[in-house]
Amino acid sequence: MALHYIAVASYYSGGTRIAWHYADSDSFDHKLIKNFLMRSKDVLGNVDLGIHKLSTSSTSWESVVEKDSFFKDVLPIKDYEDFLTLLTQDKKLTAVDVAKLLISNMALSNLKLQKLLYLYYTDYLLSTGRKLFDEPIEAWKFGPVVASVYELYKANGAKRINDDKGSKFTVVDGDVPPILAKFVSQPDSLEMLESLKRVITKYGDKTANELVNITHRAHTPWKNVYVPNCNVEITDADIYAAYKHHRDELYGV
């Protein structure tokens, strides 16, 4: 008989679940499990892990899946440090995460996506004093741009982005896209979603060219820092400085 200790967590970037799988043919190493739990708390904080203990005929993962189909789509990881590293990287929102959330809400070209991404970042920053994501925003010819997002979707040209949303998590009321699940898991998710609602309400029905004109207005961060062919970064300080006396211009009122 083999004993299995399995810690399961959602992995939003991959749209799946992953697990630290520890198995022994004799008995559990309780010191190892204690170290894992302590390390998990240090690295992940209050992230909930589903802890499962069961016995099968062998130490293989296949025997676990055979005994309980709950584990069928779970990706097992033997080294708990690798498991924790994946979860740590998965916790933080990236600009691509935010872009995917915007794409899931409306039809967007790369140009319109870039403008909404900037306006969302700006609204959230001014409302909370916190970054929405860490990637830099740069002043390009047609307005603010996050280079990593531009590169990801540039093959679409001016056409609508048809992003592959990948797999979904199944919950009681239906399927949830992984990116939405990741947003909801953030400690300040309500503020993020309220900011998103403001931006979509104000700018969602505008064309890409209209949004370019809005980001090019006098006193805007883009206008203040743009240098042709230099891709100058628009910093948080630039955003604060631009809207210190012109906050109303963010919403065109």
Side-chain angles (χ1 to χ4, degrees):
M1 182 181 72
L3 301 176
H4 301 262
Y5 183 95
I6 305 168
V8 180
S10 296
Y11 183 55
Y12 301 113
S13 297
T16 187
R17 293 175 296 155
I18 60 176
W20 174 54
H21 175 221
Y22 162 56
D24 197 293
S25 58
D26 184 18
S27 62
F28 284 141
D29 181 340
H30 293 287
K31 182 178 180 180
L32 176 65
I33 293 174
K34 182 179 179 180
N35 288 342
F36 164 71
L37 293 173
M38 292 177 61
R39 180 71 173 142
S40 297
K41 186 174 182 180
D42 289 342
V43 172
L44 302 177
N46 294 322
V47 172
D48 289 330
L49 299 176
I51 304 299
H52 305 266
K53 300 175 184 178
L54 65 157
S55 60
T56 69
S57 59
S58 78
T59 58
S60 71
W61 180 253
E62 289 75 13
S63 69
V64 172
V65 175
E66 183 178 352
K67 181 166 185 175
D68 192 337
S69 61
F70 170 81
F71 299 101
K72 180 179 179 181
D73 297 321
V74 177
L75 176 65
I77 300 172
K78 290 185 178 181
D79 188 319
Y80 72 64
E81 287 294 348
D82 291 341
F83 171 74
L84 295 176
T85 296
L86 282 175
L87 292 181
T88 301
Q89 294 171 345
D90 194 49
K91 282 177 62 178
K92 199 161 192 177
L93 286 178
T94 67
V96 170
D97 290 331
V98 179
K100 287 181 179 292
L101 184 67
L102 288 167
I103 293 167
S104 73
N105 275 276
M106 65 184 73
L108 294 173
S109 65
N110 201 359
L111 183 59
K112 184 171 180 177
L113 170 62
Q114 290 293 336
K115 304 318 141 212
L116 290 177
L117 193 61
Y118 159 75
L119 291 166
Y120 185 11
Y121 181 94
T122 297
D123 179 272
Y124 183 75
L125 176 69
L126 295 177
S127 299
T128 68
R130 297 188 294 271
K131 289 177 173 290
L132 187 59
F133 49 79
D134 287 338
E135 292 87 339
I137 300 173
E138 299 173 348
W140 289 21
K141 181 179 179 179
F142 294 107
V145 169
V146 178
S148 59
V149 175
Y150 172 81
E151 289 296 326
L152 182 62
Y153 296 117
K154 68 179 181 180
N156 292 272
K159 297 179 182 178
R160 175 180 177 175
I161 296 171
N162 292 311
D163 194 31
D164 180 6
K165 296 179 178 62
S167 58
K168 299 181 178 181
F169 295 117
T170 299
V171 294
V172 173
D173 296 324
D175 291 330
V176 178
I179 188 58
L180 180 57
K182 185 172 182 177
F183 263 82
V184 172
S185 73
Q186 300 297 310
D188 49 354
S189 61
L190 289 179
E191 291 171 301
M192 288 179 174
L193 294 175
E194 287 171 1
S195 177
L196 176 64
K197 182 178 179 180
R198 286 194 297 269
V199 171
I200 290 178
T201 299
K202 182 62 185 179
Y203 298 111
D205 62 351
K206 297 188 181 300
T207 67
N209 288 334
E210 287 174 331
L211 292 176
V212 168
N213 291 334
I214 289 171
T215 60
H216 284 209
R217 287 173 177 163
H219 310 300
T220 61
W222 180 90
K223 191 72 171 180
N224 291 341
V225 307
Y226 176 66
V227 178
N229 303 315
C230 288
N231 296 351
V232 178
E233 181 177 350
I234 299 174
T235 66
D236 291 353
D238 293 325
I239 294 173
Y240 282 124
Y243 291 115
K244 182 178 182 180
H245 301 296
H246 303 277
R247 177 74 178 269
D248 57 339
E249 291 190 12
L250 180 61
Y251 293 102
V253 297

